[in-house]
Amino acid sequence: MNRIVTLDEFIIQKQKDFAYASGELTGLLRDIGVAAKIVNREVNKAGLVNILGEDGSANATGDTVQKLDMYANEKLIDCLKNSGECCGIASEENESFIPIPSVESKNAKYVVVFDPLDGSSNIDVNVSVGTIFGIYRRISDVSGPCEMKDFLQKGTELVAAGYVIYGTSTILVYTTGRGVNGFTLDPTIGEFCLSHKDIKIPNRGQYYSVNQGYYLKFDVEMRRYIDYCSDLNLRLRYIGSMVSDIHRTLFQGGIFLYPNTRKYPQGKLRLLYECNPLAFVVEQAGGKAITTQLNRILDIEPSDLHERQTIVIGSPDMIDEMKEFVERYSVPAYTKAT
Ligand code: AHM
Ligand code: MG
C-alpha cells in the first residue's frame, strides 16, 4: 500500500527545492491549508445553521456579500495574521489591503491576495464554491509596513498560488512554480492528502465554458468562436463558479471564457484575486491564459487592487485556436478608432 503524504509533509519536503528557503513560505502555505479546513467545515454545515444567504452589505466592487463570504474572509485573515508569516493581505471582500504590524509579522517578506469564497451566488443552492489565493514576495522595505506596490505586481511575480474547491470532496490545488499538485481532504483524519500528483492539463478537451446567456453582448469575434465551439459539438459546461469550471478544465481539458460584456466592459473577473492565481496554476499545468485582447494574463501590470480583466483560459491548443479567431474576425484597430 502506498504511504499517504499529507499536505504538511509535502510542503516541508518541497522546501528544500528553494535555495535559501527560510520556511516562511512553507509556513504560509500550511496556514492557508488550516484556514481552508476551517472554511470547509462551515461550508459543509452551511445548510444546518443560519449562516446562508446575503448579509445585506456590498463588497468593494459592489456585489452583494453573502454571509459565508464574510465568514471565510474573516477566517483567512485571522489565520494569516496569526501565522506571522505575511506582512499584508488583500482580499476581494475588502476595499483596501490590510497591513500586518511587524510585531505580529516578524518582518515577514510575503503578502497574500485571495478571493475567500468565489462563486458565492451558488452557496444557497449547494453548488461548489472555492477559495483562490496568491502569494507574492514584498518589494517594499521589510523594516516598514507593506505598501500598495507589494500587491500591484504582475502575475509572473507570484511565488505560489492555488485554490481550494469545496465540492463533492474538498481539494486543495497549488503551485510554487514547479508543477501543480492536488490534495484531497480526508475528513476522517482531518488532513489534506496528496491525491493528484503533477497535474497536466490535456492539450484539448470536449468542453467549452462561458456564460452563453450573454452571447449577444459579446464582441463579434467571441460570438464567432462560440459558434465554432458549438459547430464542433463541444459540450457546454458553465457552473458559474470559476474555481469549479477551472478545476474541470484542468483535469478534463477545455476552454473557459469570460469576455467583456456591456455590463462589464473590462471583463468581470478580478485580476489579482481570480485571474492571476488561476492563470499561474493553469500555465504550470501546461495550459494558457490570455485576455480577449490576446495579452498574457500573467504579464499584465495591475493598476488597482480590484482591477477586472477579460479571461480565456484552459487547454493550450484551444487557446491558440481562439487567438486565431480573434485575429481573423476582430475589427481592425484603425477601423474602430474612426
Ligand atoms: P464572485 O467572486 O463574486 O463569486 O464572482 C465571480 C464569479 C465566478 O466564480 C464565475 O465564473 C462568475 O462570477 C460568474 O459570473 P456570471 O454569473 O456573470 O456568469
Ligand atoms: Mg470571486
Side-chain angles (χ1 to χ4, degrees), residues 66-213:
Q66 306 276 316
K67 278 185 190 170
L68 208 49
D69 291 27
M70 291 320 293
Y71 179 86
N73 197 36
E74 282 162 21
K75 287 300 151 203
L76 271 152
I77 293 172
D78 285 352
C79 283
L80 292 170
K81 268 188 174 167
N82 293 333
S83 82
E85 314 286 10
C86 83
C87 65
I89 300 164
S91 160
E92 187 185 299
E93 301 299 347
N94 293 84
E95 183 114 26
S96 42
F97 64 86
I98 305 166
I100 301 175
S102 58
V103 261
E104 288 167 49
S105 68
K106 300 177 280 182
N107 292 332
K109 53 179 183 288
Y110 294 103
V111 295
V112 180
V113 295
F114 59 79
D115 180 352
L117 216 52
D118 179 65
S120 48
S121 62
N122 292 308
I123 296 171
D124 279 357
V125 287
N126 218 359
V127 172
S128 305
V129 288
T131 297
I132 310 172
F133 64 91
I135 302 175
Y136 290 93
R137 190 182 290 269
R138 72 183 294 182
I139 45 182
S140 60
D141 198 287
V142 283
S143 59
C146 65
E147 296 173 28
M148 184 63 99
K149 65 181 178 192
D150 296 322
F151 299 93
L152 298 186
Q153 298 192 56
K154 293 194 286 187
T156 46
E157 303 307 312
L158 277 163
V159 173
Y163 64 82
V164 185
I165 179 168
Y166 310 101
T168 40
S169 53
T170 298
I171 302 181
L172 186 151
V173 172
Y174 85 96
T175 180
T176 52
R178 289 160 195 249
V180 183
N181 293 285
F183 301 80
T184 304
L185 183 63
D186 180 343
T188 60
I189 56 168
E191 293 285 355
F192 282 105
C193 302
L194 180 61
S195 50
H196 303 83
K197 216 174 167 186
D198 199 16
I199 300 164
K200 294 283 175 234
I201 191 169
N203 287 337
R204 313 191 135 266
Q206 285 308 307
Y207 300 113
Y208 71 110
S209 186
V210 62
N211 189 336
Q212 201 144 348

Side-chain angles (χ1 to χ4, degrees), residues 222-281:
M222 275 305 127
R223 299 206 297 265
R224 291 281 172 277
Y225 178 71
I226 290 167
D227 293 344
Y228 170 73
C229 290
S230 162
D231 287 347
L232 285 179
N233 281 328
L234 293 185
R235 281 171 276 172
L236 172 63
R237 293 283 187 279
Y238 188 72
I239 298 169
S241 180
M242 191 188 188
V243 171
S244 314
D245 281 315
I246 295 298
H247 189 69
R248 181 198 55 252
T249 306
L250 199 56
F251 285 91
Q252 301 191 332
I255 186 165
F256 172 92
L257 308 98
Y258 205 113
N260 49 294
T261 60
R262 260 172 250 152
K263 185 174 175 194
Y264 295 112
Q266 312 302 325
K268 176 185 179 188
L269 300 169
R270 289 76 166 177
L271 178 62
L272 258 66
Y273 314 110
E274 292 157 334
C275 302
N276 267 339
L278 295 176
F280 188 35
V281 169

